[in-house]
Amino acid sequence: MALQEKLDKFKKQQEKCQSTLTSIAASNKASAVPRAPSLSASGRAPAPAIKFSNDTERLQHINSIRKSPVGAQIKRVIDLLLETRQALTPEQINEACYVDVNANKAVFDSLRNNLKVSYDGRRFSYKSKHDLKDKSQLIYLVRKFPEGIAVIDLKDSYPNVMEDLQALKAAGQIWLLSNFDSQEDIAYPNDPRANIKVDDDLKQLFRGIELPRDMLDIEKDLQKNGMKPATNTTKRRAMAQVQGISSKPKPKKKKNEISKRTKLTNAHLPELFQKLGNS
């Protein structure tokens, strides 16, 4: 009996919920019926409601950029100019990276006075330290610096400058060496005609260094200073022992000298036999 009462109670709750849903649907349908626009006191219809853009995420991104510090906005513009390598107006910059240069005086003044930016009165463009266009201009510049030029001062000259540096190195026209103090690469011209001046202190330091007599010790010192030896003495000696090759240098053969017993076939060249005649 108790079970039947619970079932009846459950059915009544279901009927009540169904009637509530029906009334809600009817009220929503009635509110959706369009009404004729009411006239205002002036007799004009009210202005339509303003529709906001659904691109909320993009607008928030633009707003966050324009409210960011001046330095962050300057970096965005410089990165854009470096990537495009084009002269852009403030309107083009705003469209590309959302930095409104005209509306922010601090950004405009900082860009105009930035060492990496060139401004001609209308357009902004990227300005590298060395105005280079191709490989020929690059090698011409490197040869002007026989004591070396920092690669960091060249890497933003034009888009393919790093590839050209590697190509010049592979062709033997330049050297790329690392500076142990700053860990930066230095480009040197590989030109025997270049007059390189070396300080006397550096000469004395070089001549005062006593190298180990064993190549194993030399290779260990190179590795200790972060350099990779061009030889592998341990491996070479092990291979020599396996193949039964002596590591001692072979004695040089004595050059044949002309003696009285030598058959003379070039008697018409008397200067070759002056030593023989004197003996």
Side-chain angles (χ1 to χ4, degrees):
M1 189 67 181
L3 180 60
Q4 186 63 37
E5 291 178 355
K6 290 182 179 180
L7 289 174
D8 295 339
K9 187 177 181 181
F10 177 75
K11 288 181 180 179
K12 290 180 180 180
Q13 290 177 348
Q14 291 292 320
E15 292 174 356
K16 186 177 180 181
C17 291
Q18 185 66 32
S19 62
T20 303
L21 292 173
T22 303
S23 61
I24 292 174
S27 62
N28 289 339
K29 186 176 181 181
S31 62
V33 176
R35 297 179 181 178
S38 59
L39 298 177
S40 62
S42 60
R44 296 179 181 178
I50 299 175
K51 294 183 179 180
F52 293 96
S53 173
N54 293 327
D55 195 2
T56 307
E57 185 176 351
R58 185 180 70 88
L59 295 176
Q60 289 178 346
H61 177 61
I62 294 174
N63 186 52
S64 65
I65 290 175
R66 292 178 179 174
K67 287 186 176 181
S68 62
V70 173
Q73 298 188 52
I74 294 295
K75 185 179 184 304
R76 287 183 64 87
V77 176
I78 292 178
D79 289 345
L80 173 67
L81 298 176
L82 174 62
E83 181 181 357
T84 60
R85 300 286 178 155
Q86 296 179 0
L88 303 177
T89 63
E91 293 77 16
Q92 291 172 328
I93 293 173
N94 185 18
E95 183 179 352
C97 67
Y98 307 125
V99 176
D100 195 350
V101 178
N102 285 333
N104 193 325
K105 187 176 184 301
V107 173
F108 182 87
D109 292 340
S110 297
L111 271 179
R112 187 179 58 182
N113 299 321
N114 195 287
L115 297 177
K116 290 292 184 181
V117 178
S118 177
Y119 180 61
D120 62 0
R122 185 168 177 267
R123 299 174 184 270
F124 294 93
S125 59
Y126 188 81
K127 181 172 65 176
S128 58
K129 185 172 183 178
H130 300 284
D131 186 17
L132 305 176
K133 304 299 181 183
D134 51 32
K135 188 192 295 184
S136 61
Q137 294 183 2
L138 175 63
I139 185 62
Y140 181 77
L141 177 68
V142 174
R143 285 173 177 169
K144 285 185 175 181
F145 294 86
E147 298 179 5
I149 181 173
V151 173
I152 194 172
D153 293 336
L154 301 171
K155 65 190 307 182
D156 63 345
S157 300
Y158 59 93
N160 298 326
V161 65
M162 297 305 295
E163 289 83 352
D164 287 345
L165 280 172
Q166 293 298 330
L168 291 173
K169 176 185 176 183
Q173 294 182 271
I174 66 170
W175 298 100
L176 289 179
L177 304 177
S178 296
N179 188 325
F180 289 106
D181 296 330
S182 60
Q183 298 299 319
E184 295 178 354
D185 288 341
I186 308 294
Y188 297 89
N190 186 15
D191 188 356
R193 297 170 298 176
N195 185 18
I196 301 176
K197 182 181 179 181
V198 181
D199 295 338
D200 293 335
D201 295 340
L202 184 59
K203 294 178 182 179
Q204 293 179 1
L205 179 64
F206 176 79
R207 292 166 181 166
I209 297 176
E210 184 177 356
L211 296 177
R213 296 182 178 276
D214 195 340
M215 279 299 298
L216 285 174
D217 296 332
I218 295 177
E219 292 171 359
K220 289 179 181 178
D221 287 344
L222 290 173
Q223 292 173 351
K224 189 186 299 182
N225 289 277
M227 292 180 285
K228 184 179 179 181
T231 58
N232 191 336
T233 304
T234 303
K235 182 178 179 181
R236 180 171 56 81
R237 290 179 180 177
M239 292 179 63
Q241 290 180 357
V242 171
Q243 297 176 3
I245 302 174
S246 175
S247 59
K248 295 181 180 180
K250 295 181 179 180
K252 295 182 179 179
K253 293 183 178 180
K254 189 176 180 181
K255 294 182 178 180
N256 295 329
E257 295 182 356
I258 299 175
S259 63
K260 292 181 178 180
R261 303 177 64 181
T262 304
K263 185 178 180 181
L264 303 181
T265 59
N266 294 323
H268 62 287
L269 299 175
E271 62 271 11
L272 296 178
F273 311 108
Q274 290 178 358
K275 182 177 180 181
L276 181 61
N278 296 332
S279 61

